[in-house]
Amino acid sequence: MTTTANVTALSDRFRETFGAAPDGVWQAPGRVNLIGEHTDYNEGFVLPFAIDRTARVALRVRNDSTVRMLSTFGGHGMVEADLEGLEPGSGDGWSRYPLGVAWALQERGITVPGFDLLLDSDVPLGAGLSSSHAIECAVISALNELTGADFGAEDLVLATQQAENIFVGAPTGIMDQSASLRGAKGHAVFLDCRDQHVELVPFDAEASDLVLLVIDTKVSHSHADGGYASRRASCELGAEILGVKALRDVGVERLEEASGLLDETTLKRVRHVVTENDRVLQTVEVLGAQGPASIGPLLDASHVSMRDDFEISCPELDLAVDTAKANGSIGARMTGGGFGGSAIALTPVGLEQQVRDAVVRSFAEAGFTAPDIFTVTPAAGALRLS
Ligand code: ADP
Ligand code: MG
């Protein structure tokens, strides 16, 4: 939650640190993907939403090309860099995210001045909720305004992707920053990853007496991991053999034909993407026609597909999902890139505590690290706070 009090506190701390008031404070949220996993880079559909956990940056432009950055997150000191001669791969740790978006704006012909920046974030790190994009989207929103670049959301999405892909070196798609930049309170972001077409779909779990629980398994995921790259390679191979530009162009009706053309592993990967795309479309339809209480089976089917066909789950995620379901959640799935991170469980308000307790107990019994469990609600996308 962002209150006026903590915006003031951030500005005060900025002034103490850098000796002058910031030009402004911008915030951008993390995201949870309701459904549509590993469909983004297949030019398909996703349905994420911006969450009520955000990164906030107080920022002041300088007269030179120096960047000074500090995070309220413990264990990091002041980071200094120079925007002149900035190149992909420079910087380390979290400083790569602000530097990456500054570089991406430079690549678009924008003169980016040096700046002082103070970061405060309550998006959990590495939990699959895109704490990195929250930082990038907050910073690019600030720089977009302060440089007068005035790019629209679609350009900012692509600039942020370039920052992550080229500057940071993480091969991510456009889902996370689209949710963070284009999200809206009470809505999920139905995004066509081929052309960035967005429709805001009402998703008000609360009105249906439901909560969306996030279960952070604390198992670290890494996009640099070979698992992610090999999944992408399988998808590209599948598209090539099936003679389409991207798997988005393959409908469920072609899966039988595909089974005669693809090797077993490629078929499984393709089947996940093709059916997942279809589940996103179905979810949007069901949300509109019947509301959140009816999407449970689609969430469940998505998890099974990721576990068995795309093979990106892990024992902790499966246990979280199975335990939540056994204790009253109406639908549950891993969310994010996989191999760790978080699961989501759509749960009747009255059963929230039972699900929480059961998951904590099952993790203890299995000898897993205690999970972190919290609720999220669809919140506003990136905005200027002061
Ligand atoms: P995710 O985006 O899913 O949370 P990533 O590995 O992409 O995971 O990004 C996590 C990284 O973001 C952390 O390793 C850290 O470098 C950086 N980060 C996120 N939030 C903060 C913060 N408040 N302060 C400093 N660094 C942060
Ligand atoms: Mg990330």
Side-chain angles (χ1 to χ4, degrees):
M1 270 295 287
T2 304
T3 59
T4 318
N6 53 37
V7 172
T8 309
L10 191 67
S11 296
D12 288 349
R13 177 135 183 219
F14 183 97
R15 197 178 295 111
E16 281 159 29
T17 308
F18 297 110
D23 292 331
V25 178
W26 286 259
Q27 85 169 6
R31 65 96 187 93
V32 156
N33 190 18
L34 192 55
I35 195 160
E37 225 63 78
H38 288 261
T39 46
D40 63 348
Y41 54 80
N42 290 297
E43 301 186 13
F45 304 105
V46 292
L47 191 61
F49 61 88
I51 59 174
D52 50 336
R53 293 201 169 215
T54 61
R56 293 162 299 273
V57 297
L59 194 146
R60 179 187 174 88
V61 299
R62 298 168 53 96
N63 297 325
D64 56 17
S65 58
T66 300
V67 175
R68 295 189 296 175
M69 294 175 279
L70 186 69
S71 168
T72 58
F73 192 76
H76 302 265
M78 180 80 76
V79 185
E80 274 206 39
D82 196 318
L83 290 185
E84 239 167 71
L86 204 56
E87 269 178 24
S90 41
D92 56 7
W94 72 276
S95 74
R96 294 170 304 160
Y97 303 121
L99 293 177
V101 294
W103 170 81
L105 289 175
Q106 287 178 340
E107 288 287 295
R108 281 162 176 72
I110 304 300
T111 305
V112 183
F115 52 87
D116 292 334
L117 181 158
L118 177 63
L119 164 71
D120 188 33
S121 174
D122 61 3
V123 185
L125 277 68
L129 304 186
S130 239
S131 64
S132 60
H133 281 100
I135 299 171
E136 288 163 341
C137 292
V139 176
I140 205 166
S141 298
L143 294 179
N144 190 42
E145 209 174 316
L146 294 172
T147 59
D150 206 22
F151 286 121
E154 293 186 14
D155 287 326
L156 294 182
V157 163
L158 295 179
T160 307
Q161 183 185 25
Q162 194 184 15
E164 276 250 340
N165 291 175
I166 315 279
F167 195 89
V168 179
T172 49
I174 60 164
M175 170 170 68
D176 302 353
Q177 60 274 52
S178 295
S180 185
L181 290 166
R182 308 181 71 179
K185 191 173 185 331
H187 291 77
V189 179
F190 174 38
L191 171 69
D192 182 337
C193 297
R194 172 159 278 171
D195 62 7
Q196 284 208 55
H197 181 73
V198 159
E199 271 171 49
L200 294 174
V201 178
F203 176 61
D204 189 355
E206 221 170 295
S208 303
D209 287 326
L210 296 166
V211 290
L212 196 78
L213 287 172
V214 173
I215 304 164
D216 176 3
T217 64
K218 303 281 184 175
V219 178
S220 85
H221 71 104
S222 166
H223 283 156
D225 197 6
Y228 186 85
S230 80
R231 296 309 181 281
R232 284 190 77 137
S234 290
C235 292
E236 278 161 27
L237 177 65
E240 196 188 314
I241 295 174
L242 293 172
V244 291
K245 178 163 177 278
L247 288 182
R248 176 307 184 15
D249 300 311
V250 180
V252 282
E253 73 286 348
R254 278 196 74 190
L255 283 176
E256 205 180 305
E257 175 203 346
S259 70
L261 296 171
L262 306 176
D263 67 85
E264 198 188 323
T265 301
T266 308
L267 175 64
K268 283 164 77 171
R269 308 299 187 243
V270 167
R271 190 164 56 206
H272 165 70
V273 173
V274 170
T275 59
E276 184 78 352
N277 247 332
D278 191 54
R279 280 186 290 271
V280 176
L281 298 175
Q282 286 187 55
T283 303
V284 171
E285 217 176 286
V286 171
L287 276 176
Q290 296 153 59
S294 300
I295 66 169
L298 291 161
L299 302 183
D300 296 342
S302 172
H303 186 76
V304 169
S305 179
M306 287 187 284
R307 185 190 65 198
D308 298 345
D309 275 347
F310 220 58
E311 299 180 278
I312 52 171
S313 191
C314 64
E316 290 84 352
L317 284 167
D318 290 339
L319 184 62
V321 164
D322 293 345
T323 309
K325 283 289 295 175
N327 284 276
S329 295
I330 62 168
R333 59 184 285 274
M334 52 152 283
T335 185
F339 310 105
S342 298
I344 54 172
L346 192 59
T347 308
V349 172
L351 295 173
E352 178 185 342
Q353 197 56 48
Q354 180 176 324
V355 169
R356 283 174 176 269
D357 293 345
V359 171
V360 168
R361 209 165 43 238
S362 70
F363 270 56
E365 280 164 10
F368 295 157
T369 303
D372 192 12
I373 307 176
F374 51 93
T375 59
V376 289
T377 54
L383 54 90
R384 184 173 186 164
L385 292 172
S386 81

PDB file of all heavy atoms in Angstrom, residues 291-320:
ATOM      1  N   GLY A 291     -18.063 -14.652 -14.088  1.00  0.00           N
ATOM      2  CA  GLY A 291     -17.317 -14.072 -12.972  1.00  0.00           C
ATOM      3  C   GLY A 291     -16.239 -14.984 -12.442  1.00  0.00           C
ATOM      4  O   GLY A 291     -16.124 -16.153 -12.834  1.00  0.00           O
ATOM      5  N   PRO A 292     -15.412 -14.469 -11.510  1.00  0.00           N
ATOM      6  CA  PRO A 292     -14.208 -15.159 -11.012  1.00  0.00           C
ATOM      7  C   PRO A 292     -14.482 -16.533 -10.402  1.00  0.00           C
ATOM      8  O   PRO A 292     -13.617 -17.412 -10.459  1.00  0.00           O
ATOM      9  CB  PRO A 292     -13.671 -14.217  -9.934  1.00  0.00           C
ATOM     10  CG  PRO A 292     -14.274 -12.898 -10.218  1.00  0.00           C
ATOM     11  CD  PRO A 292     -15.565 -13.128 -10.926  1.00  0.00           C
ATOM     12  N   ALA A 293     -15.665 -16.723  -9.817  1.00  0.00           N
ATOM     13  CA  ALA A 293     -15.928 -17.992  -9.124  1.00  0.00           C
ATOM     14  C   ALA A 293     -15.949 -19.180 -10.080  1.00  0.00           C
ATOM     15  O   ALA A 293     -15.908 -20.333  -9.646  1.00  0.00           O
ATOM     16  CB  ALA A 293     -17.248 -17.904  -8.356  1.00  0.00           C
ATOM     17  N   SER A 294     -15.994 -18.908 -11.396  1.00  0.00           N
ATOM     18  CA  SER A 294     -16.112 -20.012 -12.358  1.00  0.00           C
ATOM     19  C   SER A 294     -14.820 -20.335 -13.106  1.00  0.00           C
ATOM     20  O   SER A 294     -14.809 -21.212 -13.970  1.00  0.00           O
ATOM     21  CB  SER A 294     -17.208 -19.674 -13.377  1.00  0.00           C
ATOM     22  OG  SER A 294     -18.438 -19.489 -12.712  1.00  0.00           O
ATOM     23  N   ILE A 295     -13.726 -19.651 -12.795  1.00  0.00           N
ATOM     24  CA  ILE A 295     -12.498 -19.889 -13.575  1.00  0.00           C
ATOM     25  C   ILE A 295     -11.587 -20.963 -12.969  1.00  0.00           C
ATOM     26  O   ILE A 295     -10.556 -21.304 -13.552  1.00  0.00           O
ATOM     27  CB  ILE A 295     -11.673 -18.598 -13.790  1.00  0.00           C
ATOM     28  CG1 ILE A 295     -11.117 -18.061 -12.460  1.00  0.00           C
ATOM     29  CG2 ILE A 295     -12.513 -17.530 -14.503  1.00  0.00           C
ATOM     30  CD1 ILE A 295     -10.084 -16.942 -12.643  1.00  0.00           C
ATOM     31  N   GLY A 296     -11.989 -21.509 -11.809  1.00  0.00           N
ATOM     32  CA  GLY A 296     -11.148 -22.484 -11.115  1.00  0.00           C
ATOM     33  C   GLY A 296     -10.642 -23.629 -11.984  1.00  0.00           C
ATOM     34  O   GLY A 296      -9.434 -23.901 -12.022  1.00  0.00           O
ATOM     35  N   PRO A 297     -11.549 -24.316 -12.707  1.00  0.00           N
ATOM     36  CA  PRO A 297     -11.089 -25.460 -13.517  1.00  0.00           C
ATOM     37  C   PRO A 297     -10.047 -25.071 -14.567  1.00  0.00           C
ATOM     38  O   PRO A 297      -9.171 -25.872 -14.898  1.00  0.00           O
ATOM     39  CB  PRO A 297     -12.389 -25.948 -14.179  1.00  0.00           C
ATOM     40  CG  PRO A 297     -13.480 -25.513 -13.238  1.00  0.00           C
ATOM     41  CD  PRO A 297     -13.018 -24.202 -12.679  1.00  0.00           C
ATOM     42  N   LEU A 298     -10.124 -23.848 -15.071  1.00  0.00           N
ATOM     43  CA  LEU A 298      -9.134 -23.408 -16.064  1.00  0.00           C
ATOM     44  C   LEU A 298      -7.762 -23.209 -15.417  1.00  0.00           C
ATOM     45  O   LEU A 298      -6.724 -23.558 -15.997  1.00  0.00           O
ATOM     46  CB  LEU A 298      -9.611 -22.125 -16.744  1.00  0.00           C
ATOM     47  CG  LEU A 298     -10.826 -22.311 -17.670  1.00  0.00           C
ATOM     48  CD1 LEU A 298     -11.535 -20.990 -17.934  1.00  0.00           C
ATOM     49  CD2 LEU A 298     -10.390 -22.963 -18.980  1.00  0.00           C
ATOM     50  N   LEU A 299      -7.761 -22.663 -14.191  1.00  0.00           N
ATOM     51  CA  LEU A 299      -6.495 -22.507 -13.466  1.00  0.00           C
ATOM     52  C   LEU A 299      -5.880 -23.878 -13.186  1.00  0.00           C
ATOM     53  O   LEU A 299      -4.677 -24.097 -13.357  1.00  0.00           O
ATOM     54  CB  LEU A 299      -6.704 -21.758 -12.143  1.00  0.00           C
ATOM     55  CG  LEU A 299      -7.325 -20.360 -12.210  1.00  0.00           C
ATOM     56  CD1 LEU A 299      -7.388 -19.742 -10.811  1.00  0.00           C
ATOM     57  CD2 LEU A 299      -6.540 -19.452 -13.146  1.00  0.00           C
ATOM     58  N   ASP A 300      -6.727 -24.804 -12.758  1.00  0.00           N
ATOM     59  CA  ASP A 300      -6.246 -26.161 -12.453  1.00  0.00           C
ATOM     60  C   ASP A 300      -5.649 -26.824 -13.695  1.00  0.00           C
ATOM     61  O   ASP A 300      -4.573 -27.429 -13.638  1.00  0.00           O
ATOM     62  CB  ASP A 300      -7.393 -27.042 -11.928  1.00  0.00           C
ATOM     63  CG  ASP A 300      -7.945 -26.544 -10.595  1.00  0.00           C
ATOM     64  OD1 ASP A 300      -7.247 -25.764  -9.920  1.00  0.00           O
ATOM     65  OD2 ASP A 300      -9.071 -26.941 -10.243  1.00  0.00           O
ATOM     66  N   ALA A 301      -6.363 -26.705 -14.815  1.00  0.00           N
ATOM     67  CA  ALA A 301      -5.893 -27.334 -16.053  1.00  0.00           C
ATOM     68  C   ALA A 301      -4.570 -26.714 -16.498  1.00  0.00           C
ATOM     69  O   ALA A 301      -3.683 -27.395 -17.028  1.00  0.00           O
ATOM     70  CB  ALA A 301      -6.948 -27.182 -17.149  1.00  0.00           C
ATOM     71  N   SER A 302      -4.423 -25.419 -16.266  1.00  0.00           N
ATOM     72  CA  SER A 302      -3.180 -24.737 -16.621  1.00  0.00           C
ATOM     73  C   SER A 302      -2.009 -25.326 -15.824  1.00  0.00           C
ATOM     74  O   SER A 302      -0.925 -25.576 -16.369  1.00  0.00           O
ATOM     75  CB  SER A 302      -3.320 -23.233 -16.332  1.00  0.00           C
ATOM     76  OG  SER A 302      -2.087 -22.584 -16.490  1.00  0.00           O
ATOM     77  N   HIS A 303      -2.253 -25.560 -14.531  1.00  0.00           N
ATOM     78  CA  HIS A 303      -1.166 -26.118 -13.722  1.00  0.00           C
ATOM     79  C   HIS A 303      -0.761 -27.519 -14.206  1.00  0.00           C
ATOM     80  O   HIS A 303       0.421 -27.818 -14.335  1.00  0.00           O
ATOM     81  CB  HIS A 303      -1.517 -26.163 -12.237  1.00  0.00           C
ATOM     82  CG  HIS A 303      -0.331 -26.596 -11.419  1.00  0.00           C
ATOM     83  ND1 HIS A 303       0.714 -25.744 -11.143  1.00  0.00           N
ATOM     84  CD2 HIS A 303       0.019 -27.807 -10.902  1.00  0.00           C
ATOM     85  CE1 HIS A 303       1.657 -26.404 -10.483  1.00  0.00           C
ATOM     86  NE2 HIS A 303       1.258 -27.650 -10.310  1.00  0.00           N
ATOM     87  N   VAL A 304      -1.750 -28.336 -14.460  1.00  0.00           N
ATOM     88  CA  VAL A 304      -1.465 -29.705 -14.923  1.00  0.00           C
ATOM     89  C   VAL A 304      -0.647 -29.669 -16.219  1.00  0.00           C
ATOM     90  O   VAL A 304       0.320 -30.411 -16.396  1.00  0.00           O
ATOM     91  CB  VAL A 304      -2.787 -30.489 -15.127  1.00  0.00           C
ATOM     92  CG1 VAL A 304      -2.534 -31.809 -15.850  1.00  0.00           C
ATOM     93  CG2 VAL A 304      -3.470 -30.725 -13.781  1.00  0.00           C
ATOM     94  N   SER A 305      -1.018 -28.753 -17.100  1.00  0.00           N
ATOM     95  CA  SER A 305      -0.317 -28.622 -18.379  1.00  0.00           C
ATOM     96  C   SER A 305       1.140 -28.190 -18.177  1.00  0.00           C
ATOM     97  O   SER A 305       2.049 -28.700 -18.832  1.00  0.00           O
ATOM     98  CB  SER A 305      -1.074 -27.603 -19.247  1.00  0.00           C
ATOM     99  OG  SER A 305      -0.436 -27.413 -20.481  1.00  0.00           O
ATOM    100  N   MET A 306       1.354 -27.292 -17.242  1.00  0.00           N
ATOM    101  CA  MET A 306       2.738 -26.844 -16.982  1.00  0.00           C
ATOM    102  C   MET A 306       3.544 -27.915 -16.273  1.00  0.00           C
ATOM    103  O   MET A 306       4.739 -28.067 -16.492  1.00  0.00           O
ATOM    104  CB  MET A 306       2.716 -25.570 -16.148  1.00  0.00           C
ATOM    105  CG  MET A 306       2.268 -24.385 -16.967  1.00  0.00           C
ATOM    106  SD  MET A 306       2.434 -22.867 -16.076  1.00  0.00           S
ATOM    107  CE  MET A 306       1.034 -22.966 -14.975  1.00  0.00           C
ATOM    108  N   ARG A 307       2.860 -28.671 -15.432  1.00  0.00           N
ATOM    109  CA  ARG A 307       3.548 -29.728 -14.688  1.00  0.00           C
ATOM    110  C   ARG A 307       3.911 -30.892 -15.608  1.00  0.00           C
ATOM    111  O   ARG A 307       5.054 -31.360 -15.599  1.00  0.00           O
ATOM    112  CB  ARG A 307       2.619 -30.219 -13.562  1.00  0.00           C
ATOM    113  CG  ARG A 307       3.229 -31.229 -12.612  1.00  0.00           C
ATOM    114  CD  ARG A 307       2.146 -31.819 -11.720  1.00  0.00           C
ATOM    115  NE  ARG A 307       1.187 -32.585 -12.505  1.00  0.00           N
ATOM    116  CZ  ARG A 307      -0.036 -32.937 -12.079  1.00  0.00           C
ATOM    117  NH1 ARG A 307      -0.459 -32.589 -10.883  1.00  0.00           N
ATOM    118  NH2 ARG A 307      -0.834 -33.640 -12.854  1.00  0.00           N
ATOM    119  N   ASP A 308       2.957 -31.323 -16.425  1.00  0.00           N
ATOM    120  CA  ASP A 308       3.152 -32.560 -17.181  1.00  0.00           C
ATOM    121  C   ASP A 308       3.665 -32.343 -18.607  1.00  0.00           C
ATOM    122  O   ASP A 308       4.446 -33.149 -19.099  1.00  0.00           O
ATOM    123  CB  ASP A 308       1.840 -33.348 -17.238  1.00  0.00           C
ATOM    124  CG  ASP A 308       1.362 -33.751 -15.848  1.00  0.00           C
ATOM    125  OD1 ASP A 308       2.167 -33.676 -14.892  1.00  0.00           O
ATOM    126  OD2 ASP A 308       0.180 -34.119 -15.716  1.00  0.00           O
ATOM    127  N   ASP A 309       3.217 -31.287 -19.260  1.00  0.00           N
ATOM    128  CA  ASP A 309       3.606 -31.077 -20.660  1.00  0.00           C
ATOM    129  C   ASP A 309       4.790 -30.111 -20.805  1.00  0.00           C
ATOM    130  O   ASP A 309       5.730 -30.386 -21.536  1.00  0.00           O
ATOM    131  CB  ASP A 309       2.420 -30.550 -21.483  1.00  0.00           C
ATOM    132  CG  ASP A 309       1.527 -31.690 -21.984  1.00  0.00           C
ATOM    133  OD1 ASP A 309       1.962 -32.854 -21.899  1.00  0.00           O
ATOM    134  OD2 ASP A 309       0.409 -31.407 -22.456  1.00  0.00           O
ATOM    135  N   PHE A 310       4.722 -28.984 -20.117  1.00  0.00           N
ATOM    136  CA  PHE A 310       5.818 -28.023 -20.266  1.00  0.00           C
ATOM    137  C   PHE A 310       6.948 -28.324 -19.290  1.00  0.00           C
ATOM    138  O   PHE A 310       8.076 -27.871 -19.456  1.00  0.00           O
ATOM    139  CB  PHE A 310       5.305 -26.585 -20.108  1.00  0.00           C
ATOM    140  CG  PHE A 310       5.928 -25.626 -21.084  1.00  0.00           C
ATOM    141  CD1 PHE A 310       5.825 -25.839 -22.456  1.00  0.00           C
ATOM    142  CD2 PHE A 310       6.638 -24.508 -20.652  1.00  0.00           C
ATOM    143  CE1 PHE A 310       6.418 -24.958 -23.366  1.00  0.00           C
ATOM    144  CE2 PHE A 310       7.229 -23.633 -21.557  1.00  0.00           C
ATOM    145  CZ  PHE A 310       7.108 -23.863 -22.907  1.00  0.00           C
ATOM    146  N   GLU A 311       6.606 -29.102 -18.240  1.00  0.00           N
ATOM    147  CA  GLU A 311       7.588 -29.555 -17.241  1.00  0.00           C
ATOM    148  C   GLU A 311       8.432 -28.416 -16.667  1.00  0.00           C
ATOM    149  O   GLU A 311       9.655 -28.446 -16.700  1.00  0.00           O
ATOM    150  CB  GLU A 311       8.457 -30.673 -17.834  1.00  0.00           C
ATOM    151  CG  GLU A 311       7.597 -31.884 -18.218  1.00  0.00           C
ATOM    152  CD  GLU A 311       8.402 -33.040 -18.812  1.00  0.00           C
ATOM    153  OE1 GLU A 311       8.709 -32.999 -20.012  1.00  0.00           O
ATOM    154  OE2 GLU A 311       8.691 -33.970 -18.045  1.00  0.00           O
ATOM    155  N   ILE A 312       7.701 -27.417 -16.108  1.00  0.00           N
ATOM    156  CA  ILE A 312       8.399 -26.278 -15.501  1.00  0.00           C
ATOM    157  C   ILE A 312       7.997 -26.081 -14.042  1.00  0.00           C
ATOM    158  O   ILE A 312       8.310 -25.067 -13.437  1.00  0.00           O
ATOM    159  CB  ILE A 312       8.133 -24.969 -16.275  1.00  0.00           C
ATOM    160  CG1 ILE A 312       6.629 -24.741 -16.467  1.00  0.00           C
ATOM    161  CG2 ILE A 312       8.849 -24.991 -17.609  1.00  0.00           C
ATOM    162  CD1 ILE A 312       6.268 -23.381 -17.020  1.00  0.00           C
ATOM    163  N   SER A 313       7.255 -27.072 -13.491  1.00  0.00           N
ATOM    164  CA  SER A 313       6.898 -26.953 -12.081  1.00  0.00           C
ATOM    165  C   SER A 313       8.034 -27.537 -11.233  1.00  0.00           C
ATOM    166  O   SER A 313       9.106 -27.864 -11.751  1.00  0.00           O
ATOM    167  CB  SER A 313       5.578 -27.675 -11.805  1.00  0.00           C
ATOM    168  OG  SER A 313       5.109 -27.354 -10.511  1.00  0.00           O
ATOM    169  N   CYS A 314       7.816 -27.636  -9.952  1.00  0.00           N
ATOM    170  CA  CYS A 314       8.799 -28.259  -9.054  1.00  0.00           C
ATOM    171  C   CYS A 314       8.001 -28.815  -7.872  1.00  0.00           C
ATOM    172  O   CYS A 314       6.826 -28.477  -7.705  1.00  0.00           O
ATOM    173  CB  CYS A 314       9.858 -27.255  -8.617  1.00  0.00           C
ATOM    174  SG  CYS A 314       9.247 -25.886  -7.621  1.00  0.00           S
ATOM    175  N   PRO A 315       8.592 -29.673  -7.049  1.00  0.00           N
ATOM    176  CA  PRO A 315       7.826 -30.308  -5.959  1.00  0.00           C
ATOM    177  C   PRO A 315       7.153 -29.303  -5.030  1.00  0.00           C
ATOM    178  O   PRO A 315       6.021 -29.524  -4.588  1.00  0.00           O
ATOM    179  CB  PRO A 315       8.890 -31.120  -5.209  1.00  0.00           C
ATOM    180  CG  PRO A 315       9.936 -31.404  -6.239  1.00  0.00           C
ATOM    181  CD  PRO A 315       9.964 -30.201  -7.141  1.00  0.00           C
ATOM    182  N   GLU A 316       7.817 -28.184  -4.753  1.00  0.00           N
ATOM    183  CA  GLU A 316       7.240 -27.192  -3.847  1.00  0.00           C
ATOM    184  C   GLU A 316       5.986 -26.556  -4.461  1.00  0.00           C
ATOM    185  O   GLU A 316       4.977 -26.362  -3.768  1.00  0.00           O
ATOM    186  CB  GLU A 316       8.271 -26.095  -3.530  1.00  0.00           C
ATOM    187  CG  GLU A 316       9.431 -26.560  -2.656  1.00  0.00           C
ATOM    188  CD  GLU A 316      10.559 -27.232  -3.443  1.00  0.00           C
ATOM    189  OE1 GLU A 316      10.382 -27.482  -4.670  1.00  0.00           O
ATOM    190  OE2 GLU A 316      11.613 -27.503  -2.842  1.00  0.00           O
ATOM    191  N   LEU A 317       6.054 -26.221  -5.751  1.00  0.00           N
ATOM    192  CA  LEU A 317       4.885 -25.624  -6.418  1.00  0.00           C
ATOM    193  C   LEU A 317       3.738 -26.625  -6.478  1.00  0.00           C
ATOM    194  O   LEU A 317       2.584 -26.280  -6.228  1.00  0.00           O
ATOM    195  CB  LEU A 317       5.251 -25.167  -7.836  1.00  0.00           C
ATOM    196  CG  LEU A 317       6.075 -23.878  -7.940  1.00  0.00           C
ATOM    197  CD1 LEU A 317       6.635 -23.708  -9.353  1.00  0.00           C
ATOM    198  CD2 LEU A 317       5.236 -22.660  -7.559  1.00  0.00           C
ATOM    199  N   ASP A 318       4.058 -27.876  -6.790  1.00  0.00           N
ATOM    200  CA  ASP A 318       2.999 -28.892  -6.860  1.00  0.00           C
ATOM    201  C   ASP A 318       2.350 -29.099  -5.496  1.00  0.00           C
ATOM    202  O   ASP A 318       1.126 -29.224  -5.396  1.00  0.00           O
ATOM    203  CB  ASP A 318       3.569 -30.225  -7.370  1.00  0.00           C
ATOM    204  CG  ASP A 318       3.955 -30.155  -8.844  1.00  0.00           C
ATOM    205  OD1 ASP A 318       3.444 -29.261  -9.547  1.00  0.00           O
ATOM    206  OD2 ASP A 318       4.769 -30.996  -9.279  1.00  0.00           O
ATOM    207  N   LEU A 319       3.164 -29.096  -4.454  1.00  0.00           N
ATOM    208  CA  LEU A 319       2.611 -29.292  -3.106  1.00  0.00           C
ATOM    209  C   LEU A 319       1.715 -28.106  -2.725  1.00  0.00           C
ATOM    210  O   LEU A 319       0.630 -28.295  -2.152  1.00  0.00           O
ATOM    211  CB  LEU A 319       3.745 -29.458  -2.081  1.00  0.00           C
ATOM    212  CG  LEU A 319       3.290 -29.762  -0.653  1.00  0.00           C
ATOM    213  CD1 LEU A 319       2.535 -31.094  -0.583  1.00  0.00           C
ATOM    214  CD2 LEU A 319       4.490 -29.791   0.312  1.00  0.00           C
ATOM    215  N   ALA A 320       2.160 -26.907  -3.036  1.00  0.00           N
ATOM    216  CA  ALA A 320       1.350 -25.714  -2.731  1.00  0.00           C
ATOM    217  C   ALA A 320      -0.006 -25.802  -3.431  1.00  0.00           C
ATOM    218  O   ALA A 320      -1.047 -25.570  -2.818  1.00  0.00           O
ATOM    219  CB  ALA A 320       2.100 -24.447  -3.168  1.00  0.00           C
TER     220      ALA A 320
END
